[in-house]
């Protein structure tokens, strides 16, 4: 399919936007100048790329996504702007978001989402022209930066420990979760420590440090997007013993599936594990994006959530965005091939030696080598991008072990504790809709935390997850293959796997009943 030629309407709109964005005045406040420079350099390109993507050609849609993200990043660097320029910044941010959503709709094969996003773009472009007239750059007070809470830090998965340094004169601290006061804490030797008594799930946390006399806070510390896990979640015992009884039950479960499958279950509290066909290579679809997730977190440094690339990382991890993945590869490695090589190396370091990210096959050591290799009993046809159920389990175990604090896992994965916990936080935030609902959520119900990655094509449906049950974390992996595979058939197999591991006779743990 050839790229669509921009219509006269869209070309005229791009020209109008360029004319509406003159060179910033030299006396403008720095962030306002950055806003105008961002629009001058990125806005017309975003609109033109969106017009070019109208026909749905792959490269044009990728260009639309990239241009929208480029504009979004430039706007983020301009914050905060003066009050007079906030409407302009808001309209530009909405336009960038719509360009991204229009491209994502093509990636997710959601024509309605693409149409809705494209329909909103002209109105936001007109709003930019209108609000530009009112944007008269002026000095704005500098915002005092708000420090992050020491633990948990922003976007982490948390095992419940709260700790933060306090200002010299602070005597107490108010803990607020999602804007609500939940505890008053005493400062001891300039620190506050507590156990978070909140329901599992995602929370925005804030500490307000107060002097002895009360009154206005001396300082604030925040950590947004924290994923609080059950107290039992802090476990990462490697697989040490094969549960033969569960293996028999997995074999019987797989025998009822009209296609090829692979299953794995592992209890991270006891070290017991079982699998069926778990070493067979399946077409991987998006599951090996776990490798790119780990490679990106390693390269983005100690605070990856502050990177402009974090939005792409989040889209890849939570919605399995191919567009975000494609943008990350050259940004991380310098070229698409080099970025893929980084993802492949990360898979090797995670112990997923049988998996490939399209850059060749690398053999590496694993973090939990105690169990002997399993049998390949029913492999699907060969594919250029492959994985195994055992590989995905190894990768998830490595991330969990690094997040818990295992030194060997941190060295092996290349992730610090915060980076590993951010990885879990992103996988816990998987958007549960459409194909991205996966094979386990229907049986788990909405309230059971699961750090998971899914993959799908017309022939495969895969899910790999760490399920945080009441009795402790469990790794479950279900891979399915059959040409023309129907979702409900794969979901039934995934639900059956959850049913087995939720049975106390299998692993000695229980999951909450699904609602």
């Amino acid at each position: 399919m050839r790229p669509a030629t921009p219509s006269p309407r869209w070309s005229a709109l791009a020209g109008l936007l360029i004319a509406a964005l003159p060179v910033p005045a030299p006396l403008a406040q720095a962030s306002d100048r950055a806003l105008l420079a961002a629009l001058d350099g990125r806005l017309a390109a975003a609109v033109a790329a969106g017009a070019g993507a109208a026909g749905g050609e792959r490269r044009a849609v990728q260009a639309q996504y990239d241009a929208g993200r480029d504009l979004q990043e430039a706007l983020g660097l301009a914050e905060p702007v003066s009050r007079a320029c906030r409407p302009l910044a808001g309209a530009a941010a909405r336009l960038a978001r719509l360009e991204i959503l229009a491209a994502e709709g093509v990636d997710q094969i959601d024509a309605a989402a693409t149409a809705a996003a494209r329909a909103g773009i002209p109105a936001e472009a007109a709003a930019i022209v209108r609000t530009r007239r009112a944007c008269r750059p002026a000095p704005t007070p500098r915002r005092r930066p708000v420090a992050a809470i020491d633990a948990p830090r922003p976007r982490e998965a948390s095992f419940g420990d709260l700790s933060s340094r306090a200002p010299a004169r602070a005597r107490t601290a108010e803990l607020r979760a999602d804007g609500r006061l939940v505890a008053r804490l005493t400062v001891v030797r300039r620190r506050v420590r507590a156990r978070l008594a909140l329901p599992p799930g995602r929370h925005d946390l804030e500490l307000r440090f107060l002097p002895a006399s009360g009154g206005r806070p001396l300082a604030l510390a925040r950590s947004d997007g924290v994923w609080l896990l059950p107290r039992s979640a802090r476990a990462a015992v490697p697989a040490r013993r094969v549960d033969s009884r569960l293996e028999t039950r997995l074999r019987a479960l797989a025998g009822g599936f009209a296609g090829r499958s692979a299953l794995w279950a592992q209890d991270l509290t006891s070290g017991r594990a079982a699998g069926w066909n778990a070493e067979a290579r399946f077409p991987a679809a998006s599951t090996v994006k776990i490798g790119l997730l780990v490679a990106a977190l390693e390269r983005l440094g100690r605070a990856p959530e502050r990177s402009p690339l974090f939005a792409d990382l989040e889209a890849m991890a939570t919605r399995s965005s191919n567009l975000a993945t494609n943008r990350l590869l050259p940004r991380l490695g310098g070229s698409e091939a080099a970025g893929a090589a980084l993802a492949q190396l990360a898979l090797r370091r995670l112990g997923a030696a049988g998996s490939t990210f399209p850059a060749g096959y690398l053999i590496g050591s694993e973090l939990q080598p105690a169990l002997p290799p399993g049998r390949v009993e029913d492999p699907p046809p060969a594919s250029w991008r492959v994985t195994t159920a055992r590989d995905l389990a190894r990768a998830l175990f490595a991330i969990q072990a690094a997040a818990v604090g295992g030194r060997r896992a941190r060295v092996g994965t290349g992730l610090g504790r915060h980076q590993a916990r951010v990885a879990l936080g992103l996988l816990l935030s998987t958007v549960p809709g459409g194909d991205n609902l996966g094979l386990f959520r229907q049986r788990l119900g909405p309230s059971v935390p699961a750090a998971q990655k899914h993959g799908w094509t017309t022939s495969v449906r895969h899910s790999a997850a760490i399920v945080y049950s009441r009795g402790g974390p469990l790794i479950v992996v279900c891979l399915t293959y059959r040409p023309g595979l129907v979702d409900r058939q794969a979901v039934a197999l995934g639900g059956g796997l959850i049913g087995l591991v939720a049975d106390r006779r299998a692993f000695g743990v229980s999951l909450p009943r699904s609602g």
Side-chain angles (χ1 to χ4, degrees), residues 157-246:
S158 170
F159 300 106
D161 295 327
L162 174 75
S163 175
S164 194
R165 186 172 175 82
R169 294 190 297 115
R171 296 295 178 267
T172 60
E174 292 181 349
L175 172 63
R176 295 178 179 268
D178 309 312
R180 181 173 59 90
L181 178 64
V182 295
R184 288 184 172 86
L185 309 174
T186 301
V187 176
V188 179
R189 296 181 181 178
R190 295 193 63 182
R191 294 205 71 86
V192 292
R193 291 182 173 86
R195 284 286 305 175
L196 292 169
L198 297 168
R202 189 167 171 171
H203 301 283
D204 296 332
L205 304 179
E206 181 182 84
L207 283 171
R208 298 184 179 184
F209 296 102
L210 305 173
S213 59
R216 296 182 61 182
L218 297 169
L220 301 178
R222 289 186 60 88
S223 286
D224 290 337
V226 171
W227 245 103
L228 184 62
L229 295 171
R231 182 171 296 189
S232 60
R234 195 195 298 267
V237 177
R240 293 172 174 168
R241 181 164 65 88
V242 174
D243 188 319
S244 57
R245 183 175 60 181
L246 183 59

Side-chain angles (χ1 to χ4, degrees), residues 105-132:
V106 177
D107 182 39
Q108 300 295 330
I109 318 177
D110 190 341
T114 295
R118 288 185 59 81
I121 290 173
E124 295 303 338
I128 290 171
V129 174
R130 184 175 63 254
T131 56
R132 173 62 185 87

